Amino acid sequence: MSDASSPMFPETRGRDRGYDKVAVEEFLARARAAFEQADAGLSSADVRAVAFPLVREGYAIAAVDAALGRIEDAFALREREAALSSDGVEGWVGRTRETAQVVLDRLARPRGHRFRRVGLLRYGYRVDEVDLVADKIARYLEDGSPVSVEQVRSVAFRMERGGYHEGQVDAVLDAVVEVMLAVS
């Protein structure tokens, strides 16, 4: 735990919510121990998927998310090095290419039909916004158009009734981040 006089991250004030300090600090301690011990119990995907409760007077979300991005990068680099040493370049490239192709196949679907839709009475991600990002990602995967890992990590969509299923969209974005980290 951090000392109350010197917080790990900037803190929110007033009505603003931030990440629960204890949850953040516990996860960071776990991540540090796993990384230092080369523990396979925690991966870059685990870092990418972690979620913290939102509370008043918590840690500023942007600061924690930026730190998590750096931690994810470190885990991904280690995972890439391990895969290269065990499977060789061809195996690693083959898996990365396969994942990229699965994403491209999904994004090649017609606009408005790339992901499963939620029911008309439920809220999902706005279809037009997701399709716009999907087009940009497809261009990146096809011809190397500029897109950064941070842009993919920080993308946020508004909600609409009958929108795209959040879980499916998030899974594809996670796969894109995985591919980007594998080739960076």
Side-chain angles (χ1 to χ4, degrees):
M1 302 285 166
S2 69
D3 180 22
S5 64
S6 59
M8 296 177 79
F9 299 100
E11 299 172 335
T12 59
R13 301 277 181 240
R15 292 184 172 200
D16 291 339
R17 293 180 173 257
Y19 290 142
D20 180 86
K21 294 176 192 176
V22 172
V24 169
E25 291 172 10
E26 287 175 353
F27 180 79
L28 292 178
R30 184 173 150 231
R32 168 178 253 139
F35 191 79
E36 289 174 351
Q37 299 168 7
D39 178 9
L42 193 65
S43 69
S44 61
D46 295 326
V47 175
R48 186 171 43 256
V50 72
F52 303 111
L54 294 175
V55 297
R56 285 191 184 173
E57 298 182 13
Y59 284 138
I61 293 170
V64 174
D65 286 349
L68 289 173
R70 292 187 300 273
I71 293 167
E72 179 186 359
D73 291 346
F75 273 90
L77 178 61
R78 186 176 69 191
E79 291 162 8
R80 179 176 57 203
E81 290 170 355
L84 285 170
S85 67
S86 68
D87 302 334
V89 173
E90 292 159 3
W92 168 75
V93 168
R95 277 194 314 281
T96 302
R97 184 175 287 143
E98 186 177 298
T99 302
Q101 189 59 56
V102 168
V103 170
L104 266 175
D105 291 346
R106 165 73 64 171
L107 302 183
R109 295 176 181 181
R111 291 175 69 89
H113 301 282
R114 290 178 172 150
F115 300 94
R116 185 166 44 100
R117 305 284 280 270
V118 298
L120 290 175
L121 298 178
R122 296 194 53 218
Y123 284 90
Y125 288 148
R126 280 193 53 156
V127 172
D128 60 334
E129 292 177 358
V130 173
D131 282 342
L132 186 66
V133 170
D135 290 341
K136 192 170 191 170
I137 290 170
R139 286 190 302 275
Y140 164 80
L141 293 171
E142 291 171 340
D143 61 27
S145 293
V147 175
S148 73
V149 173
E150 286 310 313
Q151 287 174 313
V152 178
R153 281 181 180 147
S154 65
V155 71
F157 305 107
R158 291 179 290 177
M159 305 297 277
E160 71 178 352
R161 288 182 192 252
Y164 280 143
H165 188 276
E166 293 175 54
Q168 282 193 331
V169 174
D170 291 344
V172 167
L173 292 175
D174 285 346
V176 169
V177 168
E178 184 178 315
V179 168
M180 294 174 91
L181 290 175
V183 298
S184 64

